[in-house]
Amino acid sequence: MKKKTVMMTVGLVVLVLIGFGIFHFFASSASPDYSKKDITQVITAQYPGKVSEPQLNEKEGFYETVVDHEGNKYIIKVDANTGEVKGLELTEKRIETNTDANKSTDTEKETGNANTEDDIGSEKGQEDDEDGETKHTEEDVTVSMSKAKEIALERFPGKIDEAELDEDDGRYLYEIKIINGNEEAELEIDAFTGEILYQNIEVDDD
């Protein structure tokens, strides 16, 4: 009788442990590592503008939020468990008002040079592509040069030798060269997401 009671007690303990393990597994799966507050901080640190409350897509495992920067609205997706920015899309572009147009006209009159290279480049940047979709322009960039340098130095500490914003097939990216002793690193950083797209480190043996 005593042996039977002990066996029942052991069996009950095992069932409780199994049940607790299953509950913990599902609870961990359902709760992301990053909270809404964490995601807001991640986005605020990388992108200027007003950030809306992040919405969790439990099925896909990411947060989605809208950033309003000077009238331009972007949808940003962030991994709910790693905090990594997975995508950025410009959904609404600021419409130039009459006031903005007048300011632009006044500026052109004052300078007496309305057809500078910057103006021509800006006009080209606002053209639509063959599919009728609006191309990104340098004005749409959300990651500043200083932020890009900070990202680069976090990946490869040293002294920045060169840094410039470049455009490649409609995609804007920062090209940054860093020197540290006899090592030289070249990095390319997405000007919209802050993602490091390319990294190459060379060692000077001389």
Side-chain angles (χ1 to χ4, degrees):
M1 183 65 179
K2 185 179 294 184
K3 184 176 181 180
K4 186 176 180 180
T5 302
V6 172
M7 292 295 294
M8 289 179 64
T9 302
V10 172
L12 183 61
V13 171
V14 171
L15 288 174
V16 170
L17 291 175
I18 292 175
F20 179 79
I22 293 174
F23 172 79
H24 182 70
F25 171 80
F26 282 105
S28 298
S29 301
S31 301
D33 292 339
Y34 279 69
S35 66
K36 290 184 178 181
K37 183 178 180 181
D38 295 332
I39 295 298
T40 299
Q41 292 176 344
V42 168
I43 295 175
T44 302
Q46 297 187 40
Y47 303 100
K50 183 179 180 181
V51 181
S52 66
E53 182 179 357
Q55 300 299 319
L56 176 62
N57 186 325
E58 296 183 0
K59 184 177 180 181
E60 300 295 334
F62 65 79
Y63 283 97
E64 185 173 280
T65 187
V66 176
V67 175
D68 187 337
H69 177 55
E70 296 182 352
N72 296 320
K73 293 186 178 181
Y74 304 84
I75 291 180
I76 299 179
K77 295 181 180 180
V78 183
D79 191 294
N81 293 309
T82 65
E84 178 183 359
V85 176
K86 307 299 291 184
L88 180 146
E89 179 184 359
L90 176 64
T91 59
E92 185 177 327
K93 192 170 183 178
R94 180 174 64 86
I95 300 175
E96 185 177 4
T97 64
N98 291 332
T99 302
D100 294 333
N102 292 335
K103 287 182 179 179
S104 177
T105 303
D106 292 340
T107 302
E108 290 174 358
K109 288 180 179 180
E110 290 175 1
T111 59
N113 186 11
N115 294 318
T116 62
E117 292 182 1
D118 290 340
D119 293 332
I120 294 173
S122 177
E123 290 172 4
K124 288 182 179 180
Q126 293 176 358
E127 293 177 354
D128 291 343
D129 60 18
E130 295 178 356
D131 298 327
E133 296 180 355
T134 302
K135 295 179 180 179
H136 286 305
T137 67
E138 187 173 342
E139 296 177 354
D140 299 329
V141 169
T142 57
V143 178
S144 65
M145 174 65 80
S146 60
K147 182 60 182 179
K149 290 180 179 179
E150 182 181 330
I151 293 172
L153 290 172
E154 286 180 358
R155 176 61 64 89
F156 185 85
K159 180 181 179 181
I160 294 180
D161 185 52
E162 295 179 11
E164 62 178 356
L165 177 63
D166 193 20
E167 184 265 337
D168 184 16
D169 294 331
R171 186 174 193 178
Y172 280 89
L173 49 87
Y174 290 101
E175 295 181 348
I176 300 176
K177 181 191 291 186
I178 303 174
I179 297 176
N180 188 348
N182 64 336
E183 295 183 331
E184 180 179 298
E186 293 184 358
L187 299 94
E188 292 183 356
I189 299 174
D190 192 298
F192 290 91
T193 66
E195 178 185 0
I196 296 177
L197 305 174
Y198 171 80
Q199 174 179 309
N200 181 52
I201 300 176
E202 296 183 355
V203 179
D204 186 2
D205 295 330
D206 297 339

